[in-house]
Amino acid sequence: MLMKKDNAPYPITGIVILAAGASTRMGQPKQLLRIEGESLLQRAVRIALSTPYRPVVVVLGANQEQIEPSLQGLDVLRVYNPDWATGMGGSIATGLAHLLHHMPEMQQVLILVGDQPLLDSEHLLALVNANDNGTCPMVVSRYANTTGVPALFDQSLFAELLALHGTQGAKSVIQKHLDQAAIVDFAAGALDIDTPEEWATFLAKNQAKKEDR
């Protein structure tokens, strides 16, 4: 059991990674786009697994047959959302339900997506640490003049997350409870990958940074 500095236990925390989208604007499964020897989804999984939070659940949907083999050998639970085409809400509910099936005593959950390539484990740790006193129902990321995922949700919000469906994603829950939330800045979260042009731009900038080191 993880312990705080005062020897009190940390709340039991799991992670849900959303990877069910069809990537229609990309023209290919962006979960499988590769950078530095790994896919975007593998990168998100690696970052999740580098934290102490377990279990980690990956929600699959579109292109499951292509994507699922990339998770072989990784310490993650996989669940398929048959209603992936209706929107992100159902994938959140499916992932959290699967998490609770395996860990009914779960007290809080981190929800993240697989197309924020600049995410790192330090930010996930910061989200959990921001709720060190356990008084916030959620801790959210702030970027590009908005708030969103990655975000940490307390079990008091599990019922609302489990009731999500269609295009009604975590944003609706975040907006409803934003006045009670803790906020952690994550400027890099403004970058997500939706189109071939965005991917090409990201790769070029990433390469330029490596060459400047």
Side-chain angles (χ1 to χ4, degrees):
M1 177 180 293
L2 293 174
M3 306 296 288
K4 300 178 184 177
K5 292 180 180 179
D6 60 2
N7 289 325
Y10 274 104
I12 301 171
T13 306
I15 297 178
V16 171
I17 301 175
L18 304 174
S23 310
T24 52
R25 294 169 61 192
M26 181 62 67
Q28 61 178 304
K30 61 183 174 181
Q31 298 92 329
L32 298 179
L33 294 173
R34 299 189 68 79
I35 176 174
E36 298 177 358
E38 62 186 352
S39 70
L40 281 183
L41 179 55
Q42 289 170 335
R43 189 184 188 96
V45 167
R46 174 175 56 79
I47 289 165
L49 292 175
S50 69
T51 73
Y53 314 125
R54 299 289 188 279
V56 175
V57 172
V58 178
V59 184
L60 300 171
N63 306 302
Q64 179 193 15
E65 298 82 2
Q66 293 175 257
I67 296 168
E68 191 164 17
S70 71
L71 300 174
Q72 292 296 326
L74 300 178
D75 184 24
V76 296
L77 302 172
R78 289 163 276 167
V79 63
Y80 176 69
N81 173 23
D83 297 321
W84 62 265
T86 64
M88 191 177 290
S91 291
I92 293 172
T94 297
L96 179 56
H98 198 66
L99 192 67
L100 291 171
H101 174 76
H102 287 270
M103 187 73 74
E105 63 270 37
M106 188 68 55
Q107 295 172 287
Q108 53 187 18
V109 61
L110 278 163
I111 295 178
L112 51 139
V113 293
D115 61 351
Q116 288 179 316
L118 299 181
L119 177 66
D120 54 31
S121 58
E122 286 76 13
H123 183 66
L124 298 182
L125 294 169
L127 290 171
V128 175
N129 289 334
N131 196 28
D132 187 47
N133 59 9
T135 60
C136 301
M138 64 183 183
V139 183
V140 299
S141 301
R142 177 167 57 195
Y143 44 84
N145 298 314
T146 190
T147 52
V149 296
L152 177 76
F153 298 90
D154 179 76
Q155 60 187 345
S156 63
L157 296 178
F158 283 3
E160 292 185 40
L161 295 172
L162 291 168
L164 292 174
H165 60 277
T167 57
Q168 184 185 40
K171 194 77 170 180
S172 61
V173 179
I174 290 172
Q175 291 301 320
K176 182 177 178 181
H177 301 281
L178 190 57
D179 61 337
Q180 306 169 59
I183 296 174
V184 178
D185 285 323
F186 178 42
L191 174 67
D192 59 14
I193 304 297
D194 290 318
T195 67
E197 292 76 18
E198 289 172 344
W199 178 239
T201 298
F202 167 71
L203 288 178
K205 288 182 178 179
N206 188 65
Q207 183 62 34
K209 286 182 179 178
K210 288 175 61 178
E211 292 173 355
D212 287 342
R213 290 172 187 166

